[in-house]
Amino acid sequence: MPAPPSPVATYVTFVRTGNLLFLSGHGECGRPFTTGKLGGDLTVEQGARSAEKVGLCMLATIKSAVGELSQVRRFVRILGMVQSTEDFTDHPVVMNGFSDLMVVAFGEAGKAARAAVGMQSLPSNIAVEIEAVVELRDD
């Protein structure tokens, strides 16, 4: 698992309130990271791989926030932002790279309400940015 990211501006990477963990928008951890637009510079497969790498980065943040991944009860909400050309329509397929990883890690608890949307641009030209809400165990 990569090292969790540090904020690059005026924000925090997570906020915990009660048993909910709100995760800021994450890109891939470290460099080099995948850049460009889906439907132009990048294939769906490259986008899905980027989304999976974002998932690994998010797992690192969760672990740093709560100590152990076993503290995750379930993923509640996922917002996937895919930098893409105007005519690109496979945003959900790209986001499956993230969701499939969470299902491997947490089983059915890795599935969540999800949106996959296209963006004209993302910070630093990253291909995929993902934010999430995670429910933690009470114990």
Side-chain angles (χ1 to χ4, degrees):
M1 201 173 327
S6 298
V8 295
T10 309
Y11 67 94
V12 294
T13 54
F14 66 89
V15 170
R16 182 176 181 172
T17 181
N19 67 340
L20 292 178
L21 186 66
F22 292 80
L23 296 148
S24 295
H26 278 60
E28 296 175 28
C29 285
R31 294 184 186 267
F33 46 81
T34 306
T35 59
K37 290 188 182 226
L38 277 290
D41 311 308
L42 302 170
T43 65
V44 171
E45 293 77 20
Q46 289 170 310
R49 179 70 182 128
S50 177
E52 181 181 352
K53 289 178 181 178
V54 173
L56 291 171
C57 189
M58 194 171 283
L59 290 175
T61 297
I62 293 169
K63 186 172 182 190
S64 74
V66 300
E68 293 296 328
L69 294 178
S70 62
Q71 293 301 306
V72 172
R73 175 169 287 167
R74 70 164 300 115
F75 273 71
V76 177
R77 175 89 171 108
I78 299 165
L79 171 61
M81 296 162 276
V82 178
Q83 183 178 203
S84 59
T85 60
E86 186 177 303
D87 60 343
F88 185 78
T89 59
D90 284 332
H91 310 88
V93 179
V94 170
M95 280 302 299
N96 282 345
F98 177 90
S99 294
D100 291 348
L101 175 65
M102 294 310 145
V103 169
V104 168
F106 302 106
E108 287 297 306
K111 291 182 181 178
R114 184 182 89 175
V117 298
M119 298 289 174
Q120 179 64 34
S121 68
L122 288 172
S124 301
N125 197 33
I126 60 175
V128 177
E129 181 175 354
I130 302 171
E131 65 178 49
V133 179
V134 175
E135 180 184 10
L136 302 171
R137 299 191 184 283
D138 293 327
D139 43 304

